[in-house]
Amino acid sequence: MTINFNEIVEQRSEATGIAGDRIPFEFGNKTFSFRDPLMLTDEEKDELELIDYDADIAAWYMGDEEYDEFLLTEVEIPAEDGKTIKKTGSSSFFFLVLREHMRTARASDAEGNPTMRNRSSRRAAARKRRKQH
């Protein structure tokens, strides 16, 4: 069996809606993007590994100009009391988006099905098989 990388990338693009090497995301009333971690070269990974400050990592992924615009963009977050809290972009918000992207990228295959069941799902399936025997 031969693995076709082109097909893998195409299936991933169809499943996630992500084409190319940048991931778009909405923040406030604007669309931003960041480098797709899957598409990084080994040299880019080496470069990234040397950065240890969260804001610098976020700027590296987004690009300096886009990150600067992200920092100036305001979003209103609903609070429990019905009021809203106004916040601007930050490395914390960026990493929330990055984590969500990584979670969904790992969780779906080309058909949108989980690629690997979580530990509790595997345990429940094993218990069910034992009960059937």
Side-chain angles (χ1 to χ4, degrees):
M1 176 179 166
T2 301
I3 297 172
N4 185 325
F5 178 76
N6 295 336
E7 286 179 6
I8 293 170
V9 172
E10 186 177 320
Q11 288 172 348
R12 180 178 180 266
S13 177
E14 289 173 9
T16 62
I18 298 166
D21 62 353
R22 294 196 64 89
I23 311 296
F25 70 97
E26 303 284 327
F27 184 80
N29 60 354
K30 297 181 181 178
T31 300
F32 296 96
S33 68
F34 61 93
R35 297 178 191 197
D36 184 347
L38 178 69
M39 297 299 182
L40 297 179
T41 65
D42 290 340
E43 291 80 18
E44 289 171 326
K45 290 177 185 178
D46 289 343
E47 183 182 319
L48 181 58
E49 191 174 295
L50 298 174
I51 306 170
D52 59 0
Y53 181 57
D54 284 356
D56 291 338
I57 293 170
W60 185 89
Y61 269 105
M62 292 181 72
D64 290 332
E65 288 181 29
E66 192 165 0
Y67 185 64
D68 288 344
E69 185 178 344
F70 175 66
L71 294 177
L72 296 172
T73 301
E74 189 173 80
V75 66
E76 292 186 6
I77 302 169
E80 285 186 18
D81 61 4
K83 297 180 182 178
T84 58
I85 302 167
K86 291 184 179 184
K87 293 287 185 177
T88 57
S90 68
S91 61
S92 296
F93 290 155
F94 168 76
F95 281 106
L96 180 64
V97 170
L98 180 62
R99 279 192 300 277
E100 179 63 15
H101 165 69
M102 298 304 289
R103 184 189 68 76
T104 57
R106 281 191 301 268
S108 297
D109 64 11
E111 288 78 39
N113 298 315
T115 55
M116 182 176 183
R117 294 182 296 180
N118 66 32
R119 185 176 180 200
S120 61
S121 296
R122 291 190 309 267
R123 285 182 171 180
R127 281 193 302 272
K128 184 176 179 179
R129 283 192 305 272
R130 282 194 301 268
K131 286 181 182 180
Q132 289 174 347
H133 294 300

